[in-house]
Amino acid sequence: MTSAPYRSAFENWDSRASVRVKPLRPTTDETATFYPPEQITGHEELRGMLTPEAWRRYLVLNMQAYLDFTVQLEALIVLPVTALIGVDRSGVELPEAMRRDAMAITTDEAWHGQFTADLVRRIHAQTSVAPSLPATYEFQRTRDRLRDSLAPALRPAFDLLVTYVSETLISTRLMSMPRDGRLPGYVREAVADHCEDERRHHAYFRAFLPHFWRSLVPSERSTLAALVPDMVVAFLGRDKALEEHLLVRAGMDAAVARDFVHDFGDRSVGTRVARDSLACIRYLAELRAVDVDRFQERLAAE
């Protein structure tokens, strides 16, 4: 297994990275939709079940939770791993240029967490809807469960794999929000900055994968590869606990919210998960780490 020569996507980092050249935009006062309704499972049915004020509140709560999800992902999953890569403590032998770029990603992700947390506070101030954020998200619960199932010696490699997965998924929400004119301008522009940085991160982790996979013995590869579908679904699929939590905070009766969330099926979710994970899985398939057809069957079962 060989790696292609590393071509850095960070040569213009000083003049392109959002942390270097793109300050926070001022809050705008326009009346806006605060979350794309189409991204909510059962949005057409829910809109008819909630009052206009409760529906507005529910959209705001969804945006705040989406942004907080990003803060938790960057701070608790990605940052620790990129810092270890940058200081050559990841257990993966890498060119010096890749270690340098990992430190740039660490800086980027800290900034993403900071300005995203700031967006949550500004939306609260603008809408008077206080954030109602869960203690954990589905990706954290799944990650912790899978990590605990592994032998301690394999857990650092699992952390690298989870970061690879999170950084090579192409989120429909992240990509579409900057173009959604219904959202507040300052939110769209901040998400666009995040999107641009993540394209460089995606390129980096695609290049990182062969080095990482080569550092594993065959038994470790097979053990870790089997966990990829669970992590993809955890990142991209429904978080039913979150859906129920936000519906209740928006004003829906708890029993009604529970029944709706657990009874409502949405085939489009599986299509979106398959689409958004396509690049992540293709890079693994190129190394014969996963079988794409079996992976798609696994997603369908999920």
Side-chain angles (χ1 to χ4, degrees):
M1 185 187 303
T2 60
S3 302
Y6 179 59
R7 297 181 60 183
S8 175
F10 289 77
E11 292 179 358
N12 298 319
W13 182 79
D14 278 325
S15 60
R16 298 292 296 275
S18 62
V19 67
R20 303 288 288 175
V21 297
K22 295 180 179 177
L24 293 176
R25 275 66 165 189
T27 303
T28 51
D29 295 327
E30 76 265 34
T31 301
T33 299
F34 275 85
Y35 193 79
E38 300 80 11
Q39 300 291 339
I40 294 173
T41 298
H43 67 96
E44 293 176 342
E45 290 80 1
L46 285 173
R47 188 163 193 168
M49 297 169 67
L50 296 169
T51 66
E53 178 55 31
W55 175 245
R56 171 186 173 274
R57 180 179 179 84
Y58 186 54
L59 292 179
V60 174
L61 290 169
N62 269 274
M63 176 58 85
Q64 291 167 333
Y66 168 74
L67 295 171
D68 182 65
F69 172 106
T70 301
V71 175
Q72 302 299 320
L73 173 61
E74 308 291 35
L76 302 180
I77 302 295
V78 179
L79 268 170
V81 165
T82 56
L84 287 173
I85 295 172
V87 299
D88 200 17
R89 295 294 185 272
S90 69
V92 180
E93 185 176 342
L94 295 169
E96 189 277 332
M98 291 193 75
R99 298 196 300 273
R100 180 195 63 223
D101 287 350
M103 293 305 288
I105 295 175
T106 303
T107 301
D108 285 344
E109 301 294 32
W111 172 236
H112 296 164
Q114 179 180 340
F115 76 60
T116 304
D118 177 74
L119 284 178
V120 175
R121 291 189 289 269
R122 293 163 74 184
I123 290 171
H124 177 197
Q126 184 176 1
T127 64
S128 299
V129 177
S132 184
L133 306 174
T136 60
Y137 294 91
E138 182 63 26
F139 82 87
Q140 293 167 305
R141 295 188 293 271
T142 300
R143 181 257 189 187
D144 292 348
R145 172 176 57 81
L146 296 178
R147 195 176 195 275
D148 290 345
S149 73
L150 296 171
L154 194 51
R155 291 173 186 172
F158 174 72
D159 294 340
L160 292 170
L161 178 67
V162 171
T163 301
Y164 160 79
V165 170
S166 73
E167 292 295 286
T168 54
L169 298 174
I170 301 176
S171 167
T172 299
R173 288 181 293 185
L174 182 64
M175 297 296 289
S176 63
M177 281 185 184
R179 301 189 299 271
D180 192 334
R182 297 170 298 179
L183 303 180
Y186 68 96
V187 173
R188 286 187 284 112
E189 291 171 352
V191 175
D193 292 347
H194 188 180
C195 236
E196 184 176 340
D197 289 343
E198 290 300 333
R199 290 189 182 96
R200 285 187 289 273
H201 301 182
H202 181 113
Y204 177 89
F205 276 96
R206 180 181 186 180
F208 172 84
L209 179 63
H211 296 275
F212 168 55
W213 213 244
R214 188 172 56 241
S215 74
L216 304 171
V217 300
S219 62
E220 293 172 332
R221 293 173 189 166
S222 61
T223 297
L224 292 176
L227 305 181
V228 171
D230 288 335
M231 285 310 310
V232 167
V233 172
F235 279 119
L236 296 175
R238 291 179 66 183
D239 186 338
K240 291 186 176 182
L242 175 64
E243 292 176 23
E244 185 177 336
H245 170 82
L246 297 183
L247 282 170
V248 172
R249 294 304 183 274
M252 183 177 285
D253 175 79
V256 175
R258 181 175 58 252
D259 290 345
F260 179 86
V261 168
H262 291 276
D263 292 345
F264 191 89
D266 188 347
R267 291 180 179 273
S268 67
V269 174
T271 301
R272 174 174 52 78
V273 171
R275 180 182 64 243
D276 290 4
S277 63
L278 185 62
C280 169
I281 301 307
R282 185 173 72 247
Y283 306 150
L284 286 164
E286 289 169 356
L287 300 177
R288 299 183 179 178
V290 297
D291 181 284
V292 174
D293 291 337
R294 292 181 63 185
F295 179 82
Q296 297 292 354
E297 291 173 2
R298 178 77 177 279
L299 287 186
E302 292 283 353

